[in-house]
Amino acid sequence: MKKFYFSAALVLCLSLNSCGPQIYQAASFSQVKQNHKVLAIMPFDVTIESRKLPKGVTAEMMQDQQRDYGYGMQNDVYGYFLREMSKNRYSVSFQDVAKTNALLSEAGITYDDLKLASKEKICQILGVDAVVSGNAVMSKPMSDGAAVAVGLLVGAWGPTNSVNTSITIHEAQAGDLMWKYDYEASGSVFSSRQSLSNALMKNSSKKFPYKKS
Protein backbone atom coordinates (compact mmCIF):
# COMPACT_ATOMS: atom_id res chain seq x y z
CA MET A 1 0.00 0.00 0.00
CA LYS A 2 1.39 3.35 -1.01
CA LYS A 3 2.00 5.52 2.01
CA PHE A 4 0.14 8.75 2.45
CA TYR A 5 2.18 11.80 3.41
CA PHE A 6 1.24 15.30 4.41
CA SER A 7 3.35 17.98 2.82
CA ALA A 8 5.69 19.54 5.34
CA ALA A 9 4.46 22.88 4.10
CA LEU A 10 0.80 22.05 4.53
CA VAL A 11 0.36 20.19 7.74
CA LEU A 12 -0.04 22.49 10.71
CA CYS A 13 -1.03 26.00 11.53
CA LEU A 14 1.36 27.33 14.01
CA SER A 15 1.65 31.00 13.63
CA LEU A 16 -0.80 30.21 16.21
CA ASN A 17 -3.26 31.49 18.58
CA SER A 18 -2.76 29.37 21.68
CA CYS A 19 -4.68 28.81 24.85
CA GLY A 20 -2.93 29.01 28.18
CA PRO A 21 -1.21 25.75 29.16
CA GLN A 22 -2.51 23.39 31.83
CA ILE A 23 0.20 21.96 34.09
CA TYR A 24 0.05 19.09 36.55
CA GLN A 25 2.83 18.04 38.92
CA ALA A 26 2.58 15.27 41.52
CA ALA A 27 3.19 16.35 45.10
CA SER A 28 5.95 13.75 45.43
CA PHE A 29 7.76 14.65 42.23
CA SER A 30 10.25 17.08 43.75
CA GLN A 31 11.55 14.25 45.92
CA VAL A 32 11.25 11.45 43.34
CA LYS A 33 13.13 13.27 40.59
CA GLN A 34 16.26 13.54 42.74
CA ASN A 35 17.00 9.91 41.82
CA HIS A 36 16.40 10.33 38.09
CA LYS A 37 19.46 10.20 35.87
CA VAL A 38 18.33 8.91 32.45
CA LEU A 39 15.00 9.45 30.68
CA ALA A 40 13.66 7.90 27.49
CA ILE A 41 11.40 9.65 24.97
CA MET A 42 8.50 7.68 23.51
CA PRO A 43 6.99 8.04 20.04
CA PHE A 44 4.06 10.43 20.31
CA ASP A 45 0.50 9.14 20.13
CA VAL A 46 -0.93 11.08 17.17
CA THR A 47 -4.57 11.28 16.09
CA ILE A 48 -5.65 13.10 12.93
CA GLU A 49 -9.36 13.83 13.05
CA SER A 50 -11.39 14.57 9.93
CA ARG A 51 -15.05 14.67 9.03
CA LYS A 52 -14.49 12.89 5.75
CA LEU A 53 -11.50 11.26 4.08
CA PRO A 54 -10.63 12.69 0.66
CA LYS A 55 -11.05 10.46 -2.35
CA GLY A 56 -8.14 8.04 -2.62
CA VAL A 57 -7.23 8.22 1.07
CA THR A 58 -7.85 5.06 3.09
CA ALA A 59 -8.00 4.50 6.84
CA GLU A 60 -4.77 2.51 6.52
CA MET A 61 -3.05 5.51 4.94
CA MET A 62 -4.19 7.69 7.82
CA GLN A 63 -2.88 5.17 10.35
CA ASP A 64 0.48 5.07 8.59
CA GLN A 65 0.61 8.86 8.62
CA GLN A 66 -0.23 9.05 12.31
CA ARG A 67 2.52 6.54 13.14
CA ASP A 68 5.10 8.34 10.99
CA TYR A 69 4.12 11.63 12.60
CA GLY A 70 4.44 10.09 16.06
CA TYR A 71 7.99 8.92 15.41
CA GLY A 72 8.79 12.26 13.81
CA MET A 73 7.70 14.16 16.90
CA GLN A 74 9.74 11.77 19.06
CA ASN A 75 12.83 12.72 17.07
CA ASP A 76 11.97 16.42 17.16
CA VAL A 77 11.63 16.40 20.94
CA TYR A 78 14.85 14.43 21.35
CA GLY A 79 16.66 16.95 19.15
CA TYR A 80 15.31 19.79 21.26
CA PHE A 81 16.48 18.14 24.47
CA LEU A 82 19.93 17.52 22.99
CA ARG A 83 20.30 21.19 22.15
CA GLU A 84 19.32 22.14 25.68
CA MET A 85 21.68 19.52 27.16
CA SER A 86 24.56 21.02 25.20
CA LYS A 87 23.92 24.21 27.18
CA ASN A 88 24.04 22.24 30.46
CA ARG A 89 20.45 23.15 31.31
CA TYR A 90 19.20 19.77 32.60
CA SER A 91 19.97 17.58 35.58
CA VAL A 92 19.22 14.43 33.53
CA SER A 93 20.29 12.89 30.24
CA PHE A 94 18.13 11.32 27.53
CA GLN A 95 18.44 7.89 25.95
CA ASP A 96 19.10 7.93 22.22
CA VAL A 97 15.72 7.42 20.52
CA ALA A 98 17.26 4.88 18.11
CA LYS A 99 18.18 2.75 21.12
CA THR A 100 14.76 3.33 22.68
CA ASN A 101 12.93 2.15 19.57
CA ALA A 102 15.28 -0.80 19.08
CA LEU A 103 14.70 -2.01 22.65
CA LEU A 104 10.95 -1.67 22.28
CA SER A 105 11.05 -3.61 19.01
CA GLU A 106 13.17 -6.37 20.56
CA ALA A 107 10.59 -6.64 23.34
CA GLY A 108 7.82 -7.01 20.75
CA ILE A 109 6.17 -3.69 21.58
CA THR A 110 4.79 -1.97 18.50
CA TYR A 111 3.68 1.63 18.07
CA ASP A 112 0.05 0.61 18.65
CA ASP A 113 1.04 -1.39 21.76
CA LEU A 114 2.43 1.71 23.44
CA LYS A 115 -1.09 2.96 24.18
CA LEU A 116 -1.76 -0.04 26.43
CA ALA A 117 1.67 -0.89 27.83
CA SER A 118 2.30 0.30 31.38
CA LYS A 119 4.93 2.97 31.84
CA GLU A 120 6.47 0.85 34.58
CA LYS A 121 7.02 -2.02 32.13
CA ILE A 122 8.39 0.32 29.48
CA CYS A 123 10.89 1.82 31.94
CA GLN A 124 12.06 -1.69 32.86
CA ILE A 125 12.53 -2.65 29.22
CA LEU A 126 14.46 0.53 28.48
CA GLY A 127 16.46 0.59 31.70
CA VAL A 128 15.60 4.23 32.45
CA ASP A 129 14.39 6.14 35.49
CA ALA A 130 11.41 7.77 33.77
CA VAL A 131 9.81 8.14 30.37
CA VAL A 132 8.73 11.23 28.47
CA SER A 133 5.67 10.65 26.31
CA GLY A 134 3.15 12.81 24.56
CA ASN A 135 0.18 13.01 22.27
CA ALA A 136 -1.20 15.26 19.58
CA VAL A 137 -4.79 15.44 18.40
CA MET A 138 -5.14 17.34 15.15
CA SER A 139 -8.53 18.52 14.00
CA LYS A 140 -8.83 19.21 10.28
CA PRO A 141 -12.19 19.42 8.58
CA MET A 142 -11.79 18.12 5.03
CA SER A 143 -14.00 19.42 2.25
CA ASP A 144 -15.39 17.23 -0.49
CA GLY A 145 -13.00 18.91 -2.89
CA ALA A 146 -9.89 17.81 -0.99
CA ALA A 147 -7.81 15.28 -2.91
CA VAL A 148 -4.53 13.42 -2.91
CA ALA A 149 -2.02 14.53 -5.54
CA VAL A 150 1.57 13.42 -5.87
CA GLY A 151 1.27 11.66 -2.52
CA LEU A 152 0.32 14.88 -0.71
CA LEU A 153 -2.90 15.93 0.94
CA VAL A 154 -4.22 19.08 -0.66
CA GLY A 155 -6.52 21.15 1.47
CA ALA A 156 -6.64 24.20 3.72
CA TRP A 157 -6.76 24.50 7.46
CA GLY A 158 -9.70 26.64 8.42
CA PRO A 159 -10.03 28.90 11.44
CA THR A 160 -11.72 26.18 13.48
CA ASN A 161 -8.74 23.84 13.21
CA SER A 162 -6.82 23.06 16.36
CA VAL A 163 -3.96 20.97 17.65
CA ASN A 164 -4.13 19.70 21.22
CA THR A 165 -0.79 18.42 22.45
CA SER A 166 0.60 17.25 25.73
CA ILE A 167 3.90 16.04 27.11
CA THR A 168 4.08 13.83 30.21
CA ILE A 169 6.62 12.24 32.55
CA HIS A 170 6.05 8.88 34.28
CA GLU A 171 8.49 7.48 36.84
CA ALA A 172 9.82 3.92 36.69
CA GLN A 173 9.02 2.29 40.04
CA ALA A 174 5.23 2.36 39.87
CA GLY A 175 4.76 4.01 36.49
CA ASP A 176 2.98 6.93 38.12
CA LEU A 177 2.30 10.17 36.29
CA MET A 178 4.61 12.80 37.74
CA TRP A 179 4.20 15.77 35.40
CA LYS A 180 1.95 16.79 32.52
CA TYR A 181 1.87 19.86 30.29
CA ASP A 182 -1.13 20.45 27.98
CA TYR A 183 -0.91 22.90 25.12
CA GLU A 184 -3.58 23.90 22.62
CA ALA A 185 -2.84 25.75 19.40
CA SER A 186 -5.05 26.93 16.58
CA GLY A 187 -4.69 29.04 13.48
CA SER A 188 -4.79 29.05 9.72
CA VAL A 189 -1.22 29.45 8.51
CA PHE A 190 0.51 26.38 7.09
CA SER A 191 3.59 25.13 8.86
CA SER A 192 5.48 21.91 9.49
CA ARG A 193 5.50 19.08 11.99
CA GLN A 194 8.72 20.53 13.39
CA SER A 195 6.86 23.78 14.04
CA LEU A 196 4.38 21.95 16.23
CA SER A 197 7.14 20.15 18.12
CA ASN A 198 9.10 23.36 18.58
CA ALA A 199 6.02 25.27 19.74
CA LEU A 200 5.25 22.56 22.30
CA MET A 201 8.83 22.35 23.54
CA LYS A 202 9.43 26.10 23.57
CA ASN A 203 6.44 26.54 25.84
CA SER A 204 6.75 23.42 27.99
CA SER A 205 10.52 23.83 28.49
CA LYS A 206 9.87 26.91 30.59
CA LYS A 207 8.26 24.63 33.18
CA PHE A 208 10.24 21.45 32.48
CA PRO A 209 10.93 20.01 35.95
CA TYR A 210 14.51 18.86 35.28
CA LYS A 211 15.86 22.30 34.46
CA LYS A 212 18.79 23.35 36.58
CA SER A 213 18.00 26.32 38.78
Side-chain angles (χ1 to χ4, degrees):
M1 177 67 69
K2 183 177 179 181
K3 283 192 175 182
F4 168 60
Y5 292 93
F6 283 92
S7 166
L10 296 180
V11 180
L12 290 173
C13 344
L14 292 173
S15 64
L16 301 169
N17 301 312
S18 59
C19 298
Q22 301 294 317
I23 304 170
Y24 163 80
Q25 181 166 311
S28 61
F29 190 37
S30 295
Q31 180 62 34
V32 171
K33 73 176 183 179
Q34 301 302 319
N35 298 320
H36 292 177
K37 301 298 181 185
V38 182
L39 278 63
I41 304 164
M42 298 293 97
F44 271 54
D45 179 14
V46 175
T47 301
I48 301 171
E49 297 179 335
S50 62
R51 293 182 299 186
K52 183 178 179 180
L53 291 178
K55 183 178 179 179
V57 177
T58 67
E60 182 181 12
M61 290 177 178
M62 292 293 283
Q63 290 172 357
D64 287 346
Q65 179 60 28
Q66 289 172 159
R67 182 180 61 250
D68 292 347
Y69 216 94
Y71 282 110
M73 290 191 72
Q74 177 195 29
N75 275 284
D76 295 340
V77 171
Y78 179 56
Y80 187 96
F81 281 141
L82 287 182
R83 291 191 294 274
E84 294 297 290
M85 282 177 59
S86 69
K87 302 171 186 176
N88 196 33
R89 289 180 175 172
Y90 295 142
S91 61
V92 294
S93 62
F94 299 89
Q95 186 177 81
D96 188 301
V97 292
K99 179 178 180 179
T100 296
N101 293 339
L103 289 172
L104 291 172
S105 178
E106 290 172 5
I109 297 180
T110 67
Y111 177 78
D112 292 331
D113 292 335
L114 289 174
K115 296 180 181 180
L116 300 177
S118 71
K119 296 299 190 295
E120 178 185 4
K121 178 180 178 180
I122 289 174
C123 286
Q124 291 173 354
I125 291 170
L126 300 177
V128 296
D129 302 307
V131 291
V132 177
S133 58
N135 63 59
V137 178
M138 307 172 190
S139 174
K140 183 186 189 306
M142 295 182 183
S143 67
D144 292 337
V148 176
V150 197
L152 304 178
L153 175 66
V154 178
W157 287 74
T160 60
N161 293 306
S162 65
V163 182
N164 293 289
T165 59
S166 68
I167 186 167
T168 60
I169 298 170
H170 291 76
E171 57 86 33
Q173 288 191 336
D176 292 336
L177 175 64
M178 292 283 102
W179 184 81
K180 187 172 187 284
Y181 185 99
D182 294 317
Y183 180 75
E184 180 181 354
S186 63
S188 59
V189 176
F190 295 132
S191 190
S192 66
R193 183 203 74 225
Q194 289 87 346
S195 295
L196 172 61
S197 301
N198 287 336
L200 173 63
M201 296 310 297
K202 181 179 179 181
N203 285 276
S204 65
S205 65
K206 299 172 184 177
K207 302 294 184 180
F208 194 63
Y210 296 101
K211 287 187 68 173
K212 292 181 178 179
S213 56

